[in-house]
Structures are given as structure tokens and as C-alpha cells.
Amino acid sequence: MSRVCKMSKNVREVFRLDELKDDIRRNMVALLGNDPRSKRKFSYYNALAYSVRERLVDLWMRTQSDYYDSMAKRVYYLSMEFLPGRFLMNYLTNMGIVDECREIVAELGFSLEELEEEEWDAGLGNGGLGRLASCYLDSMVSQNIPGYGYGILYDYGIFYQSIVNGNQEERCDNWRRHGCPWEITRLDTLYEVKFYGRSETYYDSDGNVRFRWVDTENVMAMPCDILIPGYGCSHVSNMRLWTAQSSREFNLSDFNRGDYIGAMHGKVMSENITKVLYPNDQFLQGMELRLKQQYFLVSATFQDILRRYLKQHTSLAALPEAVAVQLNDTHPAIAIPELMRLLMDVYGMGWDVAWDICTRTFAYTNHTVLPEALETWPVDLLGRLLPRHMQIIYEINRRFLEGVAATFPGDTERLSRMSVIQEEGGQRVRMANLAIVGSHTVNGVAALHSNILQTGLFRDFHEYYPRKIRNVTNGVTPRRWLMQCNPALSRLITQSIGPEWCCNLEKLRELVPLAEDSAFRDAWARAKLENKRLLSRYVLRKVQMGINPNTLFDMQFKRMHEYKRQLLNVMHVISLFNRIKDNPSADITPRTVLFGGKAAPGYYQAKLIIRLINEVARVVNADADVAGRLRVAFLPNYCISQAEKVVPAADLSEQISTAGMEASGTGNMKFALNGALTIGTLDGANVEIMEEVGAENIFIFGLKAHEVAEKRRSGYNPREFYENDAELRRVMDMIGSGFFSPDERGLFSPVYDSLMHHGDYYMLMADYRPYMEAQAAVDALYLDQDQWVRKSILNAANMGKFSSDRSVMEYARGIWHVEPLGK
Ligand code: Z15
């Protein structure tokens, strides 16, 4: 341990930086088979990456043997998604060798930035849930909590988005086409994963009835590790991603019969399991292949967990003292019946002992209350793919409902609400109910969201298990989301308050008094302007549009979803356009409104809103009266590496979801941490951001969560707002009548209709006027740059709570019951 800690003292020696240049040249030849005199950026990026990685392997092995020797309890973070983005700068940042590396790379004739741009993002996730998992891995290893990420190595990550004639087009993201220098493939480790077949009863030698799963189709899982360096390289962990390989005996009989192609077909099909990430964010499609992916992750992971555990233990009875498993949403919840199956059918335990071990091992994080995102699987599908698990689920449910019935005699409605099996509309397994019953702790991801779980979605469970449902507010890692993405601001902060903030974000509070120092405010404003200039260059390159860094940069970057209300933002833009047209000489605050985000390929309404943004942009940006006052752009292919350019350059962060719908949000934290002011509803973690930064330093507007709920109950009438607000009426009529789509007048009717005729479920009409007023307050404040910068500083200064280091420590102490090693 102490040996490892000392490593960070002298990075030059520890990481043999004097040899780095030679190593890069050596790797050019030995690993890449390239001539070192070649000037190909991609080759040099790879050679650098391998040279950096090899410096960590040794530390990684030492960290792992520390964990082994101390018999520390391990945390397994199971997630169908990780969204790490690029690795190079993260490795260099956490190793503390960015500046040294920049020099060495310069001597080779490159800038570090140009090599950085050669890397493809690892886009193995859709959005917030996957990115949260990656932030948590960074925080776990940086704080010396023995943890691992377990997930799937998709051949194709989240699709590449391009915009063609204003519409989203999807292209496949073949991110490893040219190899990935970060992955360490374990060709010699293979686990067998079973599917289909049937559950068979037999009698063991003591005459007890037992079960075995037979006649299965098998696929092999091969692990691929990606190292996760802790900050200061205190420790190095890894995420282990599984890839599907056909099993060797796959359809041996077909081979023997001479049906070579038939046998190969089965082989290819089995390897499809890890081919592609499902691109739906918060929407269940219910495809068999997706359920296969989930079980594939779970089965391979548990074989690995038990193998590691049994190296140091003789009995599985102490599993919960040595292993904590966190389920990132219900996606890996099939782990609960899987562990039951392993303990009973493979290791011979009885139900009660197995169930006790199970429920002391698992904890479940809920990330949404949207009904369309809650996973339910048809019993016939689950029972065909995983027949033994289906049996176990029925038995879990039978015993569970027996307990509920004893506590609430005669309350059959409650029983049917709480049942793991949904009966109406064909039997389905409710994965959230299964996850709650099978876990010792369930958590929401922001205070408001956890409250909604307790009093709304999971109310019955909260009454039955009064301490099970709790809150852990999300966080983001300050390493990637300030230090790495915003060098200008990081430098200023470190100069002013020292470097400790990046491991103790609460230290940022020391910036509060500096908000009153005009020289500091100037320096703060200069850093922001520098970032805005960099982004302007990027925008010019990407969409051939010049934007003015001296205008207010108003940003909404997130997945496209109706509940996130990008449309409300567009309605504000159209209103500004109208005001300028009505009064071309009016004195208005010049704005650049930027959007980015992917729509699920099958989500018609979200795609139509992308089109609307682009058509509004076309009209606005071409108008001579508007020039210099309002610009609008949609940046294609929002991803982690783009976020790292966008977030530091924002003045205004749009967090405007319908109250009660955004579980937490984490973009809200990243933007505020980088000095953006937030305009937002009292939703998700916005509530806590307001508490931290002070109501006077944030623009809060609109209905509150309980008001949204009341309005839904009492009958909400969107037309009332249309009739009573002329400015709103004009906006709606322009959208509905084809003002922005002259060649196709009805193009945006579905947008108009959803608000005017289909009930405006997300209540944009009700929040329009309050939003306009909040935006007017934004405009006014921006004209007073001194005040604006003061508030910008106070926002960043008060973001300490939203470090993922704090979140992870809450999980560690309150849920996993692990302590940082060596403390
Ligand atoms: C996802 O990204 C989130 C929730 C989900 O249920 C799924 Cl399937 C994907 C997001 C929430 O929408 C967001 O509010 C939250 O900050 C994030 O998870 C991380 O908890």
C-alpha cells in the first residue's frame, strides 16, 4: 500500500518518463509495425497509448494483490452501459503527467491535442446512466475502494449521428475498427453461459428433490479488461467487459453431419449477443436479444465473482461479507435468481440460506419513474430463454406475497400491485419489483426522486420495508469534468486555492470570497472566453457556422426526449425571433443557442424535434434583422468528447424537464461546475443545486413536481394557455402552419398536435410564460457582466456536494459497508 502511495511523489521517475519517447518509437515498430519516421498521427496516438498503458499494468497488479492480501470486501458495479469516452487524456490526467507528455510529444513533432483527437470515444452507453457508472469507477479507484465495473464490450456502441437536410441519420459506430490500445483481452479465460433448455428435477443421494438446467445452448464469454487509473495513480482498477464467443462444441452434430454452413450459422448467431448496444434511452423494447445480453453479463460476471471469492474462502456462507453487488437499474436484475440458482443447484444450499445470502449481497439503484422505461419481460419469453430462473422467480414471489399477505390481511389489491408477476395483459415479470425484493437497499439518485419513489412509484414497498428505499444523490468526477476538460479554469482555481480541490471538491468553497475580487473576476471571465473561442472554432469546423464568443452561450445538450423539453427551448427561440422581427432596433442580449443530443432511432417525435430545431435555425440564421443577435445551431453526434468541449464554454445551462420526470440529471452538475448559470425547473438534482448555490444564483421557474401531479389529477387544459397568451399563440401557430417548413406545411403538425390536441403531457404550455420570464431575467443579468461573473464563480464554488467522490463514499459507508483500503 504505502509503496503504491509513494508512487505519486516523483512521477518522472515512477513512470520512467525519460524512456517514454524511446518506448513510443519502439511501440511504433514492435506493436504497430510502422516506420517511426512516418508522421501518421494515428500511429503515434497508438504508440503513445500503448506506452502509457504499459506503465500502469505494474501498478494495477500491485493494487490487485493489495486487495487480495487484505481480503478486502469488493464492490461489483454491474451495468449494461459504461460511457467512458476517450481514455488518453484521462490516463495522463490521473497519472499527473499531462505537461511532461506534452513536451515529449512535441519533440516527436506533434501536439498532444492533435493526438488526443485521433481517439474514438468508447460509446458503450446511451447517456446519463452509463456516464454515471464511469464517474463512479473513477471515484472508487481514486478513493481506494476495491471496486470493479462489469459490463459488455459491444462491437458497435451508440450510433454515430449525422444531420442530413435537418434530419437525424444513424450510422454504425464501429469504434474498434482500427483496434483499441486500451483493452487487454484475456484469451485464456472463458466462461460458459447457458440459454434455453429446461429445468429437470432429480433426487440427490440424500433423497432430496433437486433441480438442474439441461439441454441448453451454450455461448462462451471472454473478458476484456480496461484499466481505470485512480487520480494521482494511488491505485489502478479495471472494468471487465464481456464479449461473446461461440462455444467450441457449438452444433457439433451439424459439423459431423457435414453441414458446415449450418454449423457456422449457429456459431455466428451466438456471437451476435455482444454485437450492438440497444440505442433506446429509457424505453423498453422487449427484444429477446436484449434479455440475452442481460443474462450474458450476469452469468459471466457471477462465475468470475465466485471464482475470485473461492480462491480465498471455503464456504459461500460469508459471501455478503466479502462481496457487494450494485445493480445499475434493473438491467442486470436477473442476477438475483441467477445467484439463487448457483447457490442452490450448483452449491447445494437450501432456499432460506441462499435467500439470506442473496438479499445481503445485492443493492439496486433506480434511475427513472417513466413508465415506458420500467422493465417487464413476458413470462413466456423469460421462461423459454431461462426456464430455471423463471421457476425461481415464481418461488421468490410466492414467498414474498405470503409475507405481504400476513402483514396486510385481505388487501388483495396491494398484493397484485406488489407482485413480481403482472397478471393483466398477459403475464409479465416486473423487474423493479424483483430487484426490490431481492436487494437489501434500493436507492434513487436525487433527493426529490427518492421521495417520489417512497411516496409514489414504490409506495407499497416503502410501507412494507420502511428503511429499504433511500437516497444517494448522483455526482460527477471533478477529474474529467473540470481538471481535464477545462484546463484554463483549473489552472486559475489551482493558482488561487491550491490543488486539493480535485480530490476534495468542497475546497472550491474557498473561491467564494474571490467573487468579490475584481482581478479574479476578470481572470475567471478570460478563462470562460478562451473556452468559448475554442468551442467557436469547433463549431465552425463541424457545422461551418461562425458564432460570436461575445454572445451569451445558451446550451441544451442531452438525449432528445419529450420530457426534457427541448421543444420549450425552441419555443423561446421562436419568441425571441418574433420580438426582433417586430422591433428590429430593439436592444436585446445577443445569444447563441446551441443544441446537441441523440434521439432513439425509433422515437418519431424526438426526431421531429431535431428537425424543427434545424429548420428554426435555418430561418433564424438567414435573417438579416436577426444577424448578430440570435444564432441557433444543432451540433451533430453529441458524445463524451464533444461534451468536454461544450461544457466549459457554456454561459447558460438548460435543465428544463417537467418537474418530477428527470431522476437526477448529471449534465446540470457538469455545467454549473464549469461556471455556467442554470435555468431550470425544480426537478431532479436541480433542487439540490439550488440549495447549494443559493436561489439568487440560479434561474428557477415553472410548475413544481406536486403541482404537475395535482394538475394531472384535476384536469389540465393546455388550450387555456394558448387562448390567454398572444405570444404563445403566435409561436404555436407558426409551428403548426408550416412557417418553418414552407415546402412541407404539415411537417410539424404532430408537434403542434401533441401540445394542442393530445393533452400536452409534459406541460410545456403551462410552463411557457414562467420560462419566458426566467429567460428575460437571464438577459438582464448578462448585460451586467460584473454580476454575471460573480454568480458564475459562486456556482462553481458551491458545487462541492456534486463530486462523485461524495456519492461513492455514501454508497461505500451506507450500502456496501466497505471502507477505503489502508485507512
Ligand atoms: C438513463 O440514462 C437514466 C435513467 C434510466 O432509467 C435509463 Cl434507462 C437511462 C438517467 C436519468 O434519466 C437521469 O436523470 C440520471 O441523472 C441518470 O440516469 C443517472 O442516474
Side-chain angles (χ1 to χ4, degrees):
M1 236 301 294
S2 56
R3 197 184 35 184
V4 177
C5 276
K6 265 186 227 136
M7 305 298 275
S8 59
K9 291 279 160 21
N10 184 350
V11 285
R12 196 150 257 290
E13 244 168 68
V14 171
F15 292 119
R16 296 177 284 106
L17 292 182
D18 301 330
E19 299 161 36
L20 183 60
K21 205 202 289 182
D22 289 334
D23 287 341
I24 295 172
R25 293 207 182 96
R26 174 177 54 77
N27 281 331
M28 276 289 277
V29 179
L31 285 177
L32 302 166
N34 265 316
D35 185 337
R37 286 168 304 183
S38 128
K39 284 290 154 212
R40 283 187 54 213
K41 284 188 244 173
F42 185 69
S43 305
Y44 269 92
Y45 151 69
N46 271 294
L48 171 61
Y50 282 113
S51 309
V52 169
R53 191 190 88 179
E54 69 188 22
R55 283 166 166 70
L56 284 180
V57 173
D58 182 52
L59 268 177
W60 174 74
M61 289 191 295
R62 285 199 224 181
T63 305
Q64 297 313 305
S65 59
D66 281 347
Y67 293 170
Y68 185 91
D69 295 342
S70 66
M71 301 222 359
K73 183 169 180 178
R74 321 282 175 110
V75 177
Y76 293 91
Y77 200 85
L78 267 60
S79 182
M80 286 290 283
E81 305 187 15
F82 288 91
L83 208 37
R86 290 173 175 161
F87 290 101
L88 178 62
M89 288 307 273
N90 182 247
Y91 274 51
L92 299 183
T93 302
N94 283 9
M95 290 164 82
I97 59 170
V98 174
D99 293 335
E100 290 85 349
C101 223
R102 179 172 286 113
E103 273 172 42
I104 291 164
V105 164
E107 288 166 24
L108 291 166
F110 298 97
S111 77
L112 192 52
E113 286 66 30
E114 69 184 349
L115 295 192
E116 180 187 1
E117 290 295 322
E118 289 295 302
E119 182 171 0
W120 270 82
D121 280 42
L124 310 181
N126 275 287
L129 170 141
R131 181 57 230 177
L132 186 77
S134 287
C135 282
Y136 283 0
L137 295 188
D138 183 272
S139 283
M140 272 195 265
V141 65
S142 295
Q143 296 178 106
N144 209 7
I145 289 165
Y148 308 90
Y150 274 81
I152 289 181
L153 186 70
Y154 302 103
D155 292 336
Y156 299 96
I158 187 66
F159 62 85
Y160 186 93
Q161 176 195 53
S162 45
I163 302 296
V164 179
N165 299 327
N167 292 311
Q168 166 173 303
E169 283 189 4
E170 301 95 25
R171 281 187 277 148
C172 73
D173 165 54
N174 199 352
W175 67 290
R176 285 149 77 232
R177 185 176 40 220
H178 301 292
C180 171
W182 310 107
E183 55 185 59
I184 303 173
T185 307
R186 310 283 175 194
L187 293 162
D188 53 342
T189 310
L190 281 176
Y191 295 117
E192 190 173 73
V193 178
K194 302 176 187 205
F195 294 103
Y196 305 109
R198 62 198 165 80
S199 173
E200 182 177 82
T201 48
Y202 68 100
Y203 292 91
D204 68 12
S205 48
D206 301 330
N208 301 313
V209 182
R210 303 180 57 89
F211 297 86
R212 62 187 164 213
W213 185 11
V214 297
D215 296 340
T216 54
E217 285 180 29
N218 303 337
V219 181
M220 306 306 288
M222 184 172 77
C224 186
D225 291 334
I226 297 185
L227 302 185
I228 307 288
Y231 181 73
C233 263
S234 44
H235 296 85
V236 180
S237 182
N238 65 283
M239 56 178 181
R240 177 156 275 202
L241 304 178
W242 300 104
T243 160
Q245 307 280 303
S246 69
S247 95
R248 246 188 326 130
E249 78 273 24
F250 207 93
N251 278 347
L252 208 58
S253 56
D254 287 341
F255 274 114
N256 293 340
R257 242 187 289 122
D259 185 4
Y260 175 74
I261 294 297
M264 288 303 284
H265 179 75
K267 180 177 159 71
V268 170
M269 291 305 284
S270 69
E271 292 181 352
N272 278 344
I273 291 177
T274 53
K275 213 31 108 191
V276 57
L277 166 75
Y278 277 88
N280 308 312
D281 192 70
Q282 309 198 48
F283 183 78
L284 175 79
Q285 235 186 332
M287 302 301 281
E288 176 165 335
L289 184 59
R290 167 76 177 186
L291 185 59
K292 273 192 184 172
Q293 290 182 336
Q294 295 181 347
Y295 181 65
F296 182 78
L297 162 63
V298 160
S299 168
T301 299
F302 267 85
Q303 293 182 62
D304 213 36
I305 292 174
L306 295 190
R307 176 196 52 83
R308 190 174 289 130
Y309 173 88
L310 290 171
K311 275 200 288 193
Q312 292 190 292
H313 302 81
T314 48
S315 149
L316 281 161
L319 188 74
E321 280 79 64
V323 168
V325 176
Q326 191 67 34
L327 303 173
N328 198 22
D329 218 308
T330 57
H331 313 152
I334 196 72
I336 291 164
E338 171 68 358
L339 182 56
M340 285 299 284
R341 183 186 73 83
L342 291 168
L343 295 178
M344 295 188 304
D345 298 358
V346 179
Y347 295 97
M349 288 181 183
W351 183 280
D352 292 323
V353 176
W355 183 245
D356 179 62
I357 292 173
C358 231
T359 51
R360 287 192 293 127
T361 301
F362 289 108
Y364 150 57
T365 304
N366 172 283
H367 296 266
T368 187
V369 296
L370 297 193
E372 65 270 28
L374 298 179
E375 288 192 299
T376 63
W377 289 102
V379 163
D380 56 355
L381 167 58
L382 204 153
R384 198 162 41 76
L385 189 67
L386 305 168
R388 178 64 182 130
H389 298 77
M390 195 61 242
Q391 268 184 335
I392 292 171
I393 291 169
Y394 273 127
E395 182 61 13
I396 290 172
N397 195 39
R398 193 188 65 75
R399 290 168 182 249
F400 165 64
L401 290 181
E402 221 171 65
V404 178
T407 312
F408 301 98
D411 195 345
T412 52
E413 298 224 328
R414 183 184 296 266
L415 286 183
S416 78
R417 287 196 305 268
M418 294 178 80
S419 175
V420 174
I421 307 295
Q422 174 187 311
E423 301 285 348
E424 58 276 18
Q427 282 201 324
R428 300 174 78 96
V429 180
R430 294 170 171 148
M431 300 306 277
N433 297 29
L434 176 64
I436 299 170
V437 174
S439 300
H440 56 84
T441 306
V442 176
N443 76 285
V445 289
L448 174 70
H449 169 62
S450 299
N451 255 310
I452 291 173
L453 293 183
Q454 292 176 343
T455 58
L457 187 62
F458 297 154
R459 182 197 183 120
D460 295 318
F461 290 95
H462 186 53
E463 284 167 14
Y464 187 60
Y465 303 119
R467 273 171 306 280
K468 197 183 267 204
I469 301 174
R470 292 191 255 152
N471 176 246
V472 180
T473 298
N474 282 169
V476 301
T477 170
R479 271 74 66 183
R480 183 176 294 256
W481 296 112
L482 184 50
M483 183 172 240
Q484 185 188 320
C485 74
N486 198 342
L489 199 62
S490 300
R491 221 174 293 126
L492 175 62
I493 294 172
T494 299
Q495 275 165 14
S496 315
I497 62 168
E500 287 84 34
W501 58 269
C502 77
C503 289
N504 179 6
L505 203 62
E506 297 282 354
K507 285 254 174 196
L508 288 182
R509 281 251 155 72
E510 293 172 20
L511 294 171
V512 168
L514 292 171
E516 297 311 317
D517 173 338
S518 71
F520 184 78
R521 281 202 304 274
D522 287 347
W524 189 271
R526 273 199 303 278
K528 181 60 79 182
L529 187 60
E530 183 181 332
N531 294 328
K532 290 168 75 175
R533 288 211 175 98
L534 287 173
L535 183 72
S536 303
R537 252 176 265 161
Y538 173 83
V539 170
L540 186 61
R541 219 168 48 236
K542 284 289 159 184
V543 294
Q544 289 74 49
M545 183 194 295
I547 58 173
N548 180 355
N550 294 309
T551 60
L552 188 164
F553 278 15
D554 172 350
M555 318 262 216
Q556 190 170 20
F557 285 75
K558 49 182 79 238
R559 286 296 290 242
M560 300 299 301
H561 256 293
E562 287 165 285
Y563 85 83
K564 293 177 192 278
R565 301 200 295 190
Q566 282 92 353
L567 178 57
L568 185 59
N569 189 343
V570 176
M571 288 159 67
H572 171 246
V573 169
I574 297 172
S575 308
L576 288 183
F577 172 77
N578 289 338
R579 288 182 187 182
I580 295 169
K581 292 305 286 181
D582 289 352
N583 187 359
S585 60
D587 197 17
I588 74 147
T589 305
R591 279 198 194 225
T592 303
V593 184
L594 299 177
F595 292 87
K598 294 174 183 178
Y603 191 168
Y604 174 80
Q605 201 75 2
K607 287 178 134 177
L608 193 56
I609 289 165
I610 292 180
R611 177 72 189 270
L612 177 62
I613 293 169
N614 285 308
E615 296 307 323
V616 169
R618 185 181 48 73
V619 171
V620 166
N621 297 339
D623 193 294
D625 292 336
V626 174
R629 297 136 162 250
L630 181 60
R631 300 231 97 186
V632 183
F634 186 97
L635 303 188
N637 200 43
Y638 184 50
C639 57
I640 299 300
S641 59
Q642 188 182 90
E644 289 172 26
K645 299 177 172 73
V646 162
V647 166
D651 292 310
L652 185 66
S653 156
E654 300 268 355
Q655 306 299 337
I656 58 177
S657 51
T658 314
M661 315 235 68
E662 188 71 270
S664 162
T666 44
N668 47 2
M669 301 167 186
K670 292 163 199 167
F671 279 105
L673 179 60
N674 284 271
L677 272 57
T678 303
I679 184 165
T681 47
L682 281 179
D683 197 15
N686 297 353
V687 177
E688 290 157 83
I689 292 175
M690 181 187 74
E691 287 167 6
E692 295 297 303
V693 306
E696 67 285 6
N697 296 316
I698 185 169
F699 301 94
I700 295 292
F701 71 94
L703 295 171
K704 298 172 183 47
H706 70 94
E707 293 169 338
V708 169
E710 275 158 28
K711 264 197 159 26
R712 288 223 172 103
R713 265 197 304 275
S714 64
Y716 165 63
N717 178 16
R719 291 201 68 101
E720 182 188 306
F721 298 94
Y722 175 88
E723 269 139 28
N724 295 324
D725 189 327
E727 194 174 23
L728 171 60
R729 191 156 63 239
R730 184 165 164 204
V731 169
M732 292 311 296
D733 289 346
M734 287 165 81
I735 295 173
S737 68
F739 183 88
F740 299 105
S741 52
D743 301 335
E744 206 182 331
R745 295 244 159 223
L747 181 64
F748 298 120
S749 309
V751 174
Y752 178 90
D753 291 343
S754 75
L755 271 48
M756 296 292 293
H757 299 308
H758 302 145
D760 181 22
Y761 187 75
Y762 301 103
M763 298 192 179
L764 286 80
M765 303 291 280
D767 274 348
Y768 170 81
R769 186 50 52 190
Y771 180 53
M772 291 296 294
E773 283 162 9
Q775 288 285 21
V778 169
D779 284 331
L781 185 70
Y782 197 72
L783 292 178
D784 184 351
Q785 271 300 299
D786 231 39
Q787 281 301 336
W788 183 280
V789 174
R790 201 177 256 116
K791 287 181 196 287
S792 165
I793 296 166
L794 291 177
N795 266 266
N798 288 302
M799 290 302 290
K801 174 175 177 184
F802 303 101
S803 167
S804 48
D805 294 345
R806 187 268 315 149
S807 313
V808 156
M809 283 314 296
E810 286 183 16
Y811 281 97
R813 302 229 155 94
I815 298 177
W816 302 330
H817 303 294
V818 298
E819 278 291 314
L821 209 70
K823 282 195 189 150

